[in-house]
């Protein structure tokens, strides 16, 4: 329904999904669904509702100490927030969120890059830097083309055309709107088409997209859940650490093993006993910066992890904990305190 521009119906089904994930208290899924709801709100022009959902994601991340949500990054949340704030002329928050998104620009993915490009363009526009704004719009458009985010093409044309009108380039704006209308008509994106027709002065009816409200998050309940989850995770982690140490002990007493065999068993041991995010896993490079890898690159990650483990084992099969401190850290839990 989202891809058909039926945003009201898309929101209806997202609300049903929220009811389910609220019942099972899966706050990562709640955050992901809030993000999808926020994008539906942005695309339908309900910017204040979008801001509400995105700020609730920030609350979940802060309270539960998440690095990000499923399929989306924290900088991506800031990027969408920045764009929505600029759209309601809240330049102070728009600029603040845009700068936060920029700090994690390397982690942005797909539609997040588009929103960041549009938000950065609007930030430049507010500062009177129209040339830089145009450059940022073009970078966003390049991503739309490469990623084949077809619903964003007429959306981009609409946003870019309005920018050109604001800076007095009416002929260029007219050309962009006309191209956008052709694309929207071809893809049957009639809502976006009508918005651009209206910008050209045509007397057309624009369908009103009022998105129904969903359930609110009670932050007191969230805080209580976070505390319970913290205690449970601590107990579960301790059990994993004990089992992990027992397994490591068995590996280290097998003196007939080669360094490669020990490294392989050790890395498999870490993967077996410690949760690693299925979609986003990261290790730390020489600069101790997190590097996010997608599912396709998971095998490369495991090879790198294996090679780093090998560096930590001397010729006698003894794991050097000091080298491990420099070389190895998994995505969700450090193995250093456990070995110490």
């Amino acid at each position: 329904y989202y891809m058909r521009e039926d945003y009201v119906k898309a929101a209806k089904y997202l609300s049903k999904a929220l009811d389910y994930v609220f019942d099972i208290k899966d706050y990562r899924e709640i955050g992901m669904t809030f993000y999808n709801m926020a994008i539906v709100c942005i695309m339908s022009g309900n910017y204040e509702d979008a801001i509400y959902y995105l700020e609730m994601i920030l609350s979940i991340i802060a309270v539960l100490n998440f690095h990000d949500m499923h399929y989306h990054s924290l900088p991506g949340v800031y990027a969408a927030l920045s764009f929505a704030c600029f759209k309601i002329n809240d330049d102070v928050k728009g600029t603040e969120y845009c700068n936060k998104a920029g700090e994690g620009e390397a982690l942005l993915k797909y539609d997040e890059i588009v929103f960041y490009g549009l938000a950065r363009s609007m930030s430049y526009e507010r500062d009177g830097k129209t040339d830089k704004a145009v450059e940022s719009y073009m970078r966003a458009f390049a991503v739309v083309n490469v990623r084949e985010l077809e619903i964003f093409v007429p959306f981009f044309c609409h946003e870019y055309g309005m920018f050109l009108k604001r800076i007095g380039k009416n002929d260029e704006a007219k050309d962009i709107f006309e191209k956008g209308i052709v694309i929207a008509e071809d893809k049957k994106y009639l809502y976006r088409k009508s918005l651009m027709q209206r910008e050209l002065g045509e007397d057309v009816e624009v369908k009103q997209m009022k998105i129904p409200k969903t359930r609110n998050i009670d932050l007191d309940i969230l805080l209580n859940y976070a505390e319970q989850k913290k205690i449970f995770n601590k107990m579960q982690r301790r059990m994993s650490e004990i089992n992990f140490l027992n397994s490591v002990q068995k590996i280290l007493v097998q003196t007939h093993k080669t360094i490669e065999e020990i490294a392989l068993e050790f890395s498999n041991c870490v993967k077996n006993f410690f949760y690693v995010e299925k979609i986003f896993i990261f290790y730390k490079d020489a600069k101790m910066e997190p590097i996010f890898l997608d599912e396709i690159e998971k095998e490369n990650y495991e090879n790198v992890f294996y090679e780093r483990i090998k560096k930590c084992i001397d010729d006698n099969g003894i794991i050097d904990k000091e080298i491990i401190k420099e070389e190895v850290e998994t995505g969700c839990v450090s193995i250093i305190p456990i070995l110490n």
Side-chain angles (χ1 to χ4, degrees):
Y1 290 107
Y2 168 76
M3 293 302 295
R4 299 176 195 168
E5 281 195 325
D6 194 343
Y7 298 123
V8 174
K9 194 163 283 187
K12 177 183 175 182
Y13 282 101
L14 286 169
S15 294
K16 289 182 178 180
L18 274 173
D19 286 339
Y20 174 73
V21 292
F22 264 116
D23 289 342
I24 63 174
K25 292 185 173 60
D26 188 335
Y27 282 97
R28 283 192 183 276
E29 290 294 330
I30 290 172
M32 184 186 74
T33 310
F34 272 175
Y35 183 89
N36 291 336
M37 185 70 84
I39 301 308
V40 166
C41 290
I42 286 175
M43 299 298 279
S44 60
N46 294 279
Y47 302 113
E48 291 184 355
D49 289 338
I51 290 168
Y52 164 78
Y53 290 119
L54 292 165
E55 288 186 337
M56 288 308 300
I57 293 173
L58 295 183
S59 297
I60 293 172
I61 288 175
V63 171
L64 299 182
N65 197 28
F66 290 156
H67 292 290
D68 52 41
M69 309 308 298
H70 284 324
Y71 308 109
H72 298 290
S73 66
L74 178 57
V77 176
Y78 286 134
L81 255 173
S82 176
F83 176 77
C85 287
F86 278 129
K87 293 296 288 186
I88 62 170
N89 297 313
D90 189 342
D91 294 354
V92 173
K93 278 192 173 182
T95 301
E96 177 189 350
Y97 288 135
C98 189
N99 290 336
K100 287 183 176 180
E103 291 171 3
E105 185 177 358
L107 303 179
L108 296 172
K109 294 177 178 289
Y110 310 116
D111 59 318
E112 298 175 348
I113 301 173
V114 178
F115 284 122
Y116 175 65
L118 294 176
R120 180 57 72 191
S121 300
M122 297 168 86
S123 177
Y124 284 136
E125 181 187 351
R126 270 36 172 204
D127 293 338
K129 300 175 181 178
T130 54
D131 289 342
K132 283 186 172 292
V134 170
E135 290 176 8
S136 191
Y137 272 113
M138 290 302 99
R139 283 197 295 272
F141 185 60
V143 174
V144 170
N145 273 339
V146 171
R147 296 297 182 185
E148 297 180 344
L149 301 172
E150 63 178 34
I151 198 169
F152 278 93
V153 178
F155 171 75
F156 173 86
C157 290
H158 182 213
E159 291 296 328
Y160 186 47
M162 289 192 295
F163 161 72
L164 292 172
K165 280 184 68 175
R166 289 194 298 270
I167 63 174
K169 295 187 176 183
N170 294 324
D171 290 340
E172 291 182 40
K174 181 174 180 292
D175 183 53
I176 290 294
F177 285 137
E178 288 175 345
K179 289 178 179 177
I181 288 169
V182 171
I183 296 169
E185 193 167 45
D186 178 60
K187 299 293 184 182
K188 294 185 170 44
Y189 293 144
L190 302 183
Y191 171 66
R192 193 64 53 186
K193 174 188 172 182
S194 65
L195 291 175
M196 289 185 280
Q197 286 177 314
R198 190 172 62 179
E199 291 294 334
L200 290 174
E202 297 180 27
D203 185 15
V204 295
E205 182 182 352
V206 177
K207 184 179 180 180
Q208 295 301 309
M209 299 276 191
K210 187 61 180 174
I211 304 300
K213 291 285 188 181
T214 61
R215 290 169 60 176
N216 295 328
I217 283 186
D218 187 322
L219 289 181
D220 288 335
I221 293 177
L222 178 61
L223 286 167
N224 183 54
Y225 169 81
E227 188 59 34
Q228 292 178 1
K229 192 74 173 176
K230 184 178 177 181
I231 294 170
F232 175 76
N233 286 345
K234 187 175 181 181
M235 293 171 59
Q236 193 174 45
R237 187 179 300 117
R238 186 55 187 155
M239 289 174 64
S240 292
E241 289 172 358
I242 292 170
N243 291 331
F244 171 72
L245 284 173
N246 289 335
S247 296
V248 169
Q249 187 70 24
K250 291 177 182 177
I251 293 170
L252 296 182
V253 297
Q254 298 174 19
T255 55
H256 62 283
K257 296 281 187 180
T258 65
I259 291 177
E260 287 75 14
E261 288 172 330
I262 292 174
L264 181 60
E265 288 192 27
F266 189 86
S267 59
N268 285 335
C269 196
V270 171
K271 288 185 292 181
N272 290 337
F273 283 102
F274 299 104
Y275 173 77
V276 177
E277 178 60 52
K278 286 192 294 185
I279 302 301
F280 298 115
I281 54 179
F282 71 88
Y283 62 92
K284 296 201 172 183
D285 66 10
K287 297 179 181 178
M288 300 304 285
E289 294 292 334
I291 301 175
F292 287 79
L293 305 170
D294 60 29
E295 189 70 19
I296 297 173
E297 296 172 294
K298 186 173 180 180
E299 186 176 345
N300 292 336
Y301 160 81
E302 292 175 353
N303 290 337
V304 170
F305 188 76
Y306 166 72
E307 292 298 326
R308 290 188 171 204
I309 287 289
K310 279 174 62 178
K311 292 181 182 179
C312 306
I313 305 173
D314 64 22
D315 293 335
N316 297 317
I318 304 300
I319 296 178
D320 189 324
K321 289 184 288 188
E322 293 303 315
I323 299 179
I324 286 183
K325 288 178 181 179
E326 298 176 5
E327 291 291 338
V328 182
E329 184 154 334
T330 69
C332 295
V333 58
S334 171
I335 62 173
I336 311 311
I338 305 169
L339 290 175
N340 285 343

